[in-house]
Amino acid sequence: MSRDTLVMGAVAYAPKVVTIWEGLKAYLAQHNMKYDFVLYTNYERQVRDLFSGYIDVAWNSPLAYVRARRFATSRGLSIRPLIMRDTDCDLRSVFVVNAESPIQTLQELRGKTLGTGAMDSPQATLIPLDHLRQLGLVEDKDYTVCRFDVLTGKHGDHIGGERDAVLALLADAVDVCCICEGNYNNFMLDGTMRSGTTRIIGRTGAFDHCNFTAGPHAPPELVQQFTELVLAMRWENPQIRPLLELEGLREWLPARSTGYDLLERAVGEQGFYAEDGSILHPDYDYD
């Protein structure tokens, strides 16, 4: 690939991603930037390719960013978060029970069953389990985990695991479920659950979600051009708005690296990644 072209990697978690990244390609071409993208079935291979130089920039999940940061640090390399959505900042996950449940607090989860998303979902598994651990509640010791592993390797971007956890709660198959607060609201809007049938008994701390990450071999001048053009996209532009709507944002923001501490701790304490970014979880099948 010519070095006058920036190559981005992204995971194909839904058909709409083709429309989004083709639209971004057309927008960048209008501004005389050469850009292409590669689609992956999983984030683990995408992270590896970011370090091989096959791609220059990755649209990383929070978990992929944490792995990339561990890869870089252990190898004496550097990566840089470039851009994130306005909807990627200060998210929280919620613990949900049925409205008639006697459970009022998270401490009452002892002896109960918790429904989670996929094992690699930051918002529906890793961060909520870490939150409970900080309260003195340890999975498979103080409570049972019922995990809904939908499309592992996509790091929870496919929210089917969260939806399955909610459906299990509504069917009384689990006592509590944990999902992203934004998805809790969306599930009420799309009819997955009716208003008034559930309630929230706890929230995690705030965390950040996806970002564009520049790899260690990315051409600095192309990265700078890409960053400036993406940040210049405006909701008010009728040609650009459909792309922003598809990707779930109103404004692109300069990325920050400070919103991943909860996930870093969760990944370490739950033995998901090693300090060098290698995969430790014995049941993780992402291909």
Side-chain angles (χ1 to χ4, degrees), residues 12 86 123 138 156 216 271 274:
D86 53 359
Q123 65 268 14
V138 179

Side-chain angles (χ1 to χ4, degrees), residues 206-220:
F207 57 91
D208 287 352
H209 215 258
C210 299
N211 71 62
F212 284 113
T213 308
H217 310 296

Side-chain angles (χ1 to χ4, degrees), residues 53-130:
Y54 185 68
I55 58 175
D56 302 307
V57 171
W59 180 232
N60 270 338
S61 75
L63 188 60
Y65 174 67
V66 165
R67 187 183 188 204
R69 193 157 72 179
R70 291 181 174 221
F71 253 76
T73 300
S74 66
R75 291 160 176 79
L77 300 171
S78 62
I79 60 170
R80 185 159 60 95
L82 303 172
I83 308 161
M84 62 202 319
R85 299 168 297 190
D86 53 359
T87 49
D88 282 315
C89 303
D90 297 320
L91 279 67
R92 293 180 187 269
S93 294
V94 293
F95 297 87
V96 184
V97 298
N98 284 314
E100 68 277 11
S101 171
I103 300 174
Q104 300 294 324
T105 69
L106 291 177
Q107 290 295 342
E108 296 171 60
L109 189 57
R110 295 181 190 276
K112 302 296 194 296
T113 300
L114 174 71
T116 73
M119 68 173 68
D120 58 356
S121 172
Q123 65 268 14
T125 304
L126 293 166
I127 290 175
L129 295 188
D130 175 73

Side-chain angles (χ1 to χ4, degrees), residues 210-254:
C210 299
N211 71 62
F212 284 113
T213 308
H217 310 296
E221 66 282 359
L222 292 181
V223 169
Q224 182 66 25
Q225 184 183 14
F226 175 79
T227 301
E228 291 176 355
L229 288 174
V230 172
L231 289 175
M233 298 177 79
R234 291 291 176 264
W235 176 266
E236 294 76 18
N237 186 325
Q239 292 181 314
I240 291 174
R241 185 182 297 179
L243 295 178
L244 302 184
E245 289 178 324
L246 275 177
E247 190 52 33
L249 71 147
R250 291 183 64 94
E251 182 183 12
W252 292 106
L253 301 174

Side-chain angles (χ1 to χ4, degrees), residues 112-118 124-125 129 140 143-149 161 164-165 168 173-178:
K112 302 296 194 296
T113 300
L114 174 71
T116 73
T125 304
L129 295 188
D140 301 325
Y143 62 92
T144 301
V145 173
C146 180
R147 207 171 61 214
F148 294 91
D149 280 326
D164 286 351
V174 299
D175 300 296
V176 184
C177 72
C178 49

